[in-house]
Amino acid sequence: MAEEKALTSRQDDFSAWYNEVVQRAELADYAPVRGCMVIRPWGYAIWENMQRALDDMFKATGHQNAYFPLLIPLSFIEREKEHIKGFAPEVAVVTHAGGKELEEPLVIRPTSETIIYSMFSKWVQSYRDLPLLINQWANVIRWELRTRLFLRTSEFLWQEGHTAHATEAEAEEETLLILGLYRSFMEDWMAMPPLTGRKTDSERFAGALRTYACEALMQDNRALQAGTSHNLGQNFARQFDLRFQTETGMEEYAWNTSWGVSTRLVGGLVMTHGDDAGLVLPPRLAPIQVVIVPIYRTDDERGRVLQKADEVEALLRQSNIRAKVDARDNLKPGSKYYEWERKGVPARIEIGPRDVDRGQAMVVLRTVTGTDLPRKEALPEHGLAETLRARLDAYQAALLAAARERREAHSYRGIRSYGEFRELMEGAGGFVYAGWCGSAACEDRVKDETRATIRVLPSPEFASAEAPAHCLVCGAKSVSEAVWARAY
Amino acid sequence: MAEEKALTSRQDDFSAWYNEVVQRAELADYAPVRGCMVIRPWGYAIWENMQRALDDMFKATGHQNAYFPLLIPLSFIEREKEHIKGFAPEVAVVTHAGGKELEEPLVIRPTSETIIYSMFSKWVQSYRDLPLLINQWANVIRWELRTRLFLRTSEFLWQEGHTAHATEAEAEEETLLILGLYRSFMEDWMAMPPLTGRKTDSERFAGALRTYACEALMQDNRALQAGTSHNLGQNFARQFDLRFQTETGMEEYAWNTSWGVSTRLVGGLVMTHGDDAGLVLPPRLAPIQVVIVPIYRTDDERGRVLQKADEVEALLRQSNIRAKVDARDNLKPGSKYYEWERKGVPARIEIGPRDVDRGQAMVVLRTVTGTDLPRKEALPEHGLAETLRARLDAYQAALLAAARERREAHSYRGIRSYGEFRELMEGAGGFVYAGWCGSAACEDRVKDETRATIRVLPSPEFASAEAPAHCLVCGAKSVSEAVWARAY
């Protein structure tokens, strides 16, 4: 194989770098259908690890998985007025099936509130049937004009939670529970610490009372909406007749929530940690945590080294480290290093004849930028699994610390002049915390002039110590602190 | 809640019994879209257990998961002539998306050979890229006229494996490897022992060279096609230009296989083990293996009994037994027994004040028909997890043995008269092993007259000791033994 071309650097063209990493790390590929992608095994294995972690968290908090139909009658989608307004421009419509034109067109789900709450209304009779806590893992279609692999594709994979509660307070509690769960997942597993908060009305989910979101800051200092949790109030319950008998015998509409994260997270992972050599994966999500590369010249060396490599692999796997020997004969060790670095594997072990003799393994970490971890060290075989486990844990923690530091370094509080804000948005970018008068007019002006939007009204834990007094844009009295950024 | 109506008995109306079990065990419900179903949490949890087991088996044999688009350009589906003939009547077609009519209609995948091999052709260059062993978990749509929950629905969930190989022999080996893997899964996990073999040309997958299948016999003695594995030859490779350079530098088309099992398996599980009280689940797939029902009258008793129930739950979970306390206050123990029996939970533990005093638990198995297991026994708390594990293992084995015995009791070898065969097919049903001349005319005649079809030409391990000499239908020389049955 010819010498591989280096990736475009992030500095030169972040967007080109992103597309190259996604394709050359074999995360995904363009499909022959406009706006759709193929998730390749390496990308899908990362998604599976995300799914497993999230699914465990959902189940630990009492949620159950189910599956609802892909196709939704058009009349269902149209029932909630805001909902249809929000989704109408994006739906894909099935008009023919089984060789005939359908009497009523069917929409491929862009999200499943309508079909799910129509079923809930069959299943819920009494307060005893509540809360009903359901999640589904599914594909959805939203016909997007401009698409990017993982970040915005016409079809994507996601989970969508849908719950029904007896009281407004319980629904709000659930909405915030999930917001916190998403934040924990993004921090603890993805090492991608998001900012959380509430969306303004103009960015609210179509049909929701309140939308909360996790917003992560990418390396180009643009925000990525990485997960949303909606308090739907009784909007859908009213349209789908989702009523229950209360403890005191009254009839009432249930209170709903819905929430989701998608394969977009894989894109977030790339843009949070990747470097000019390719992908950088947090160990907890890496399909392979340690790749073992045997180094040999002669057949005799090959036998000894491969045997040792297999032993080390077995040893590490026993300690639940996802290890893999790369025994391919047609590639030189250097090419293997290059490939696994591009694919973001956190650590590699090089084993040559001398290492076998000495009972050691040469361990090289994918990146040590901003950490005090050694890039390369010879570790004794004895206790290797324990030492590696400690290195991987430290590596995971270092990625999180670095991402958090970067986010904070590009979060600006106390900016009071709109001019200064514009300069920031047109320059380095980042999160700007500032006052907001509550008007959509000011949001619109900022969007028109700077392409920045209010990402969230920050949750208490992100709010500035001193609440801003005046709107960044118009100078009127501020009703809430807001965080602005350009976003994906 | 009013007294529940008993289920229709299998004897009275097997089909009605099936529909009632599926709905009243809360496995699935009808969706408001024609022919589609909602898989409810209890049904989905069974499917998840199936997925996990199969997925582990696929990965252990070197397969990787990926994800390909839901929508396929119509022109792709049309490229393989037999393929489009087979699927054209069943496809759902998207004609509009994003508010516009599409230039080319898109088909919702009824299966993904075409889109997947078009991608393979981008990824495969050399023999070094082979074998390529891919699986995807996905939803598909086939617009069926007559639908049954799980057994035949317009949308279903499945896995579809797609592989590419350098030689015809390797492709055949893969096809048979998967056939064996499916058989093991059905036996070891589902306790549903299938017959395996090759399909005749008239039942072959549209576009395949050879189709192999697992056929299980349901309690009404009709066959259920439960999994298929296809050797596709080079048919799709030719249409999608899937070529590779051989070791000797030649260009050659790759050899493909595809194979799948679906949520239909859940229906097979119901019809293999269920009885007139509802579902019967093999422990290895049961979402809950042991339900613990506390029995008490006074508040004091309630406290003691619930505490013990929680202890037992924790104890069992530590031993990886899926246990759950049913602590609902609004139901009497009897109603709980009834509900969990209907849902097929293999064992329940009743704990009352006297059991707490005696340090014991009353264990009741869901069914002991055809086994020498005790239906009800008081087991000492000491060693409870170990004893229960042994009971569950024996229960799993007993279900398999019973299903195998039933299959063999309704498998007929040595039937030589067509009249006798017709009587069987119109009466008790079952698998009839007999000679076949190889002509489609004889297949057609049997189908017209008895609604039975050749399920498979049996694999060597199922072939009769003495090969039949004459065709069951026309009396000409037999070219192969065949197994006939009426099927779902």
Side-chain angles (χ1 to χ4, degrees):
Chain A
M1 190 178 272
E3 193 66 13
E4 300 250 9
K5 216 178 98 213
L7 296 167
T8 299
S9 76
R10 290 163 295 171
Q11 192 73 42
D12 283 352
D13 185 342
F14 192 77
S15 171
W17 167 83
Y18 174 80
N19 289 335
E20 289 172 24
V21 171
V22 167
Q23 286 176 86
R24 291 184 51 198
E26 299 184 354
L27 295 176
D29 205 345
Y30 294 103
V33 179
R34 208 192 64 68
C36 291
M37 71 171 165
V38 172
I39 307 179
R40 300 186 69 176
W42 190 249
Y44 198 82
I46 294 169
W47 175 240
E48 281 183 306
N49 287 340
M50 290 181 172
Q51 283 187 299
R52 186 70 63 100
L54 283 164
D55 200 67
D56 286 347
M57 293 170 89
F58 298 149
K59 285 178 177 155
T61 44
H63 301 85
Q64 293 183 300
N65 288 334
Y67 186 77
F68 296 83
L70 173 74
L71 301 176
I72 303 179
L74 185 58
S75 59
F76 276 46
I77 297 271
E78 286 171 344
R79 229 180 277 182
E80 217 289 339
K81 298 302 165 206
E82 270 202 40
H83 193 63
I84 181 64
K85 222 166 51 185
F87 285 103
E90 295 185 351
V91 293
V93 188
V94 177
T95 54
H96 293 71
K100 286 188 190 154
E101 183 164 1
L102 297 172
E103 284 178 25
E104 181 184 2
L106 299 170
V107 162
I108 299 182
R109 63 181 161 223
T111 179
S112 303
E113 277 74 10
T114 57
I115 188 101
I116 289 182
Y117 298 129
S118 82
M119 295 308 298
F120 276 21
S121 75
K122 283 180 72 175
W123 301 336
V124 170
Q125 269 92 46
S126 136
Y127 70 95
R128 290 192 188 281
D129 302 321
L130 300 174
L132 185 53
L133 309 173
I134 299 290
N135 176 62
Q136 86 169 347
W137 292 96
N139 53 344
V140 290
I141 288 207
R142 298 181 185 173
W143 213 254
E144 301 279 0
L145 283 180
R146 270 181 298 179
T147 58
R148 302 278 312 267
L149 293 170
F150 287 114
L151 299 177
R152 180 168 271 113
T153 45
S154 292
E155 180 187 13
F156 55 90
L157 304 184
W158 78 343
Q159 59 70 217
E160 48 179 325
H162 293 274
T163 69
H165 305 265
T167 68
E168 184 170 13
E170 275 179 51
E172 182 70 8
E173 198 183 322
E174 169 81 5
T175 313
L176 293 175
L177 170 83
I178 296 297
L179 183 73
L181 185 155
Y182 284 160
R183 181 184 167 188
S184 300
F185 169 74
M186 292 175 201
E187 289 176 349
D188 300 345
W189 290 82
M190 298 180 65
M192 181 181 87
L195 160 70
T196 64
R198 186 156 65 80
K199 289 283 181 186
T200 64
D201 285 351
S202 60
E203 300 270 330
R204 204 165 21 87
F205 175 75
L209 212 59
R210 280 186 288 281
T211 287
Y212 297 89
C214 291
E215 299 275 332
L217 198 64
M218 305 293 99
Q219 285 185 67
D220 63 349
N221 295 324
R222 283 169 71 188
L224 182 77
Q225 179 177 300
T228 48
S229 183
H230 315 293
N231 183 333
L232 304 174
Q234 295 176 312
N235 292 346
F236 287 92
R238 281 180 206 281
Q239 300 312 323
F240 290 92
D241 206 28
L242 169 47
R243 280 174 302 168
F244 69 100
Q245 194 167 51
T246 67
E247 234 174 314
T248 56
M250 312 284 284
E251 281 259 304
E252 215 182 287
Y253 288 110
W255 302 83
N256 297 120
T257 84
S258 71
W259 28 275
V261 296
S262 74
T263 35
R264 172 172 249 217
L265 290 178
V266 179
L269 205 61
V270 174
M271 293 195 293
T272 298
H273 303 297
D275 65 19
D276 291 348
L279 197 58
V280 170
L281 290 174
R284 293 186 79 181
L285 292 175
I288 297 171
Q289 296 172 314
V290 180
V291 66
I292 303 164
V293 179
I295 302 169
Y296 50 83
R297 289 214 184 86
T298 65
D299 272 1
D300 169 62
E301 283 180 3
R302 182 175 181 278
R304 288 167 58 218
V305 162
L306 272 181
Q307 192 192 337
K308 178 56 70 184
D310 288 342
E311 279 172 32
V312 169
E313 183 191 70
L315 184 89
L316 297 182
R317 285 188 181 180
Q318 263 168 34
S319 301
N320 290 319
I321 293 174
R322 293 188 287 272
K324 180 193 158 79
V325 176
D326 183 349
R328 288 176 292 177
D329 267 339
N330 59 318
L331 290 180
K332 296 207 171 127
S335 298
K336 294 180 184 177
Y337 300 168
Y338 184 80
E339 178 177 331
W340 294 112
E341 281 175 8
R342 199 172 50 205
K343 288 189 158 184
V345 168
R348 78 164 173 263
I349 294 181
E350 307 169 2
I351 299 183
R354 241 185 313 178
D355 300 308
V356 177
D357 294 340
R358 290 183 189 165
Q360 70 176 25
M362 193 60 74
V363 175
V364 184
L365 297 181
R366 168 64 178 80
T367 178
V368 291
T369 308
T371 76
D372 50 10
L373 290 168
R375 161 89 174 152
K376 186 166 184 168
E377 60 182 329
L379 289 176
E381 218 185 299
H382 182 78
L384 181 62
E386 293 69 28
T387 316
L388 259 178
R389 166 61 53 214
R391 291 285 179 282
L392 292 174
D393 288 349
Y395 187 94
Q396 176 90 28
L399 290 186
L400 175 61
R404 185 172 277 139
E405 208 170 284
R406 189 169 44 73
R407 184 190 72 192
E408 290 310 306
H410 296 92
S411 291
Y412 303 90
R413 297 173 195 257
I415 286 184
R416 281 184 181 78
S417 116
Y418 184 61
E420 199 184 340
F421 168 76
R422 282 189 69 156
E423 244 170 71
L424 246 173
M425 284 300 122
E426 280 149 25
F431 282 144
V432 172
Y433 290 67
W436 177 51
C437 64
S439 83
C442 283
E443 280 184 281
D444 287 345
R445 181 180 159 196
V446 170
K447 196 171 179 178
D448 287 348
E449 293 179 355
T450 70
R451 285 189 286 135
T453 47
I454 296 182
R455 303 316 305 155
V456 287
L457 312 179
S459 302
E461 60 271 39
F462 288 97
S464 299
E466 204 173 331
H470 301 286
C471 177
L472 173 74
V473 192
C474 68
K477 191 167 175 303
S478 169
V479 298
S480 171
E481 182 169 27
V483 184
W484 267 276
R486 283 189 182 169
Y488 277 91
Chain B
M1 190 179 274
E3 192 66 11
E4 300 250 10
K5 218 178 102 221
L7 295 167
T8 300
S9 76
R10 290 164 294 173
Q11 190 73 42
D12 283 352
D13 187 342
F14 193 78
S15 171
W17 167 84
Y18 174 80
N19 288 335
E20 290 173 23
V21 171
V22 167
Q23 286 177 85
R24 292 185 50 199
E26 298 183 353
L27 296 176
D29 206 344
Y30 294 103
V33 179
R34 209 192 66 67
C36 291
M37 70 170 167
V38 172
I39 307 179
R40 299 186 70 176
W42 190 249
Y44 198 81
I46 295 169
W47 176 241
E48 281 182 306
N49 287 340
M50 289 180 172
Q51 284 187 298
R52 186 71 63 101
L54 283 165
D55 200 67
D56 286 347
M57 291 169 91
F58 297 149
K59 284 177 178 156
T61 45
H63 302 85
Q64 293 183 300
N65 288 333
Y67 186 77
F68 296 83
L70 173 74
L71 301 176
I72 303 179
L74 185 57
S75 59
F76 276 46
I77 297 271
E78 287 171 341
R79 227 179 279 180
E80 216 289 338
K81 297 302 164 209
E82 269 202 41
H83 193 63
I84 181 64
K85 223 168 47 185
F87 286 103
E90 297 185 350
V91 293
V93 188
V94 176
T95 54
H96 292 72
K100 287 188 188 154
E101 183 163 0
L102 297 172
E103 284 178 27
E104 180 183 4
L106 298 170
V107 163
I108 300 183
R109 63 181 161 221
T111 179
S112 302
E113 277 75 9
T114 57
I115 189 99
I116 289 182
Y117 299 129
S118 82
M119 295 307 299
F120 276 21
S121 75
K122 282 179 72 175
W123 302 335
V124 170
Q125 268 92 46
S126 134
Y127 71 95
R128 291 193 188 279
D129 302 320
L130 299 176
L132 186 52
L133 308 173
I134 299 290
N135 177 61
Q136 86 169 348
W137 293 96
N139 53 344
V140 290
I141 289 206
R142 297 180 187 175
W143 213 252
E144 300 280 0
L145 284 179
R146 272 182 298 181
T147 57
R148 300 281 310 268
L149 293 169
F150 287 114
L151 299 177
R152 179 167 273 115
T153 46
S154 292
E155 180 187 12
F156 56 90
L157 305 183
W158 76 345
Q159 60 68 216
E160 48 180 323
H162 294 272
T163 68
H165 305 265
T167 67
E168 184 170 14
E170 276 178 51
E172 182 70 6
E173 197 183 325
E174 168 81 5
T175 313
L176 293 175
L177 170 83
I178 295 298
L179 183 73
L181 185 154
Y182 284 160
R183 181 185 167 188
S184 301
F185 169 75
M186 292 177 201
E187 289 176 350
D188 300 345
W189 290 82
M190 298 180 65
M192 181 180 87
L195 161 69
T196 64
R198 187 157 65 80
K199 290 283 184 187
T200 64
D201 285 351
S202 60
E203 301 270 330
R204 209 170 10 90
F205 175 75
L209 212 59
R210 279 186 288 280
T211 287
Y212 297 89
C214 291
E215 299 275 331
L217 198 64
M218 303 293 100
Q219 285 185 67
D220 62 349
N221 295 323
R222 283 169 70 189
L224 182 78
Q225 180 175 303
T228 48
S229 183
H230 316 293
N231 183 333
L232 303 174
Q234 294 175 312
N235 293 344
F236 287 91
R238 281 179 205 281
Q239 299 311 323
F240 291 92
D241 206 27
L242 169 47
R243 279 173 302 169
F244 69 99
Q245 195 167 49
T246 67
E247 236 175 308
T248 56
M250 311 287 283
E251 282 260 306
E252 215 182 289
Y253 289 110
W255 301 83
N256 297 119
T257 84
S258 71
W259 28 275
V261 295
S262 74
T263 36
R264 173 171 248 215
L265 290 179
V266 179
L269 205 60
V270 174
M271 293 196 293
T272 298
H273 303 298
D275 64 21
D276 291 349
L279 196 58
V280 169
L281 289 174
R284 293 187 81 180
L285 292 176
I288 298 172
Q289 295 171 314
V290 180
V291 66
I292 303 164
V293 179
I295 300 169
Y296 51 82
R297 289 214 183 85
T298 67
D299 272 1
D300 169 60
E301 282 180 4
R302 183 175 182 277
R304 287 168 57 218
V305 162
L306 273 181
Q307 192 193 335
K308 178 55 73 183
D310 288 343
E311 280 172 34
V312 169
E313 184 191 71
L315 185 90
L316 297 183
R317 285 188 181 180
Q318 265 168 33
S319 300
N320 289 320
I321 293 174
R322 294 188 287 273
K324 180 194 159 76
V325 176
D326 183 350
R328 287 176 293 178
D329 267 339
N330 61 318
L331 291 181
K332 297 208 171 124
S335 299
K336 294 181 184 177
Y337 300 168
Y338 185 80
E339 178 177 331
W340 293 114
E341 280 176 7
R342 200 172 50 206
K343 288 189 158 182
V345 168
R348 78 163 174 263
I349 294 181
E350 306 169 5
I351 298 184
R354 242 189 309 179
D355 300 309
V356 177
D357 293 341
R358 290 185 188 163
Q360 69 176 25
M362 193 60 74
V363 173
V364 184
L365 296 181
R366 168 64 179 80
T367 178
V368 291
T369 306
T371 75
D372 50 10
L373 292 166
R375 160 88 173 154
K376 185 165 184 168
E377 59 181 328
L379 289 176
E381 219 184 298
H382 181 78
L384 182 63
E386 293 68 28
T387 316
L388 260 178
R389 166 62 53 216
R391 291 287 179 281
L392 292 174
D393 288 349
Y395 186 96
Q396 176 89 29
L399 290 185
L400 176 61
R404 185 173 277 140
E405 207 171 284
R406 190 170 44 71
R407 183 190 73 193
E408 290 310 306
H410 296 93
S411 290
Y412 304 90
R413 295 173 195 257
I415 285 182
R416 281 189 179 79
S417 117
Y418 183 60
E420 198 185 342
F421 168 77
R422 281 189 72 157
E423 245 169 72
L424 245 173
M425 284 299 121
E426 278 147 26
F431 282 143
V432 172
Y433 289 69
W436 176 51
C437 63
S439 83
C442 283
E443 279 184 284
D444 287 345
R445 181 180 158 196
V446 170
K447 196 171 180 179
D448 286 347
E449 294 178 353
T450 70
R451 287 189 284 132
T453 46
I454 295 180
R455 303 317 304 158
V456 288
L457 312 179
S459 300
E461 60 271 39
F462 289 97
S464 299
E466 204 175 329
H470 301 287
C471 177
L472 172 74
V473 191
C474 69
K477 191 169 175 304
S478 169
V479 298
S480 170
E481 183 169 29
V483 184
W484 268 276
R486 282 189 183 168
Y488 276 90

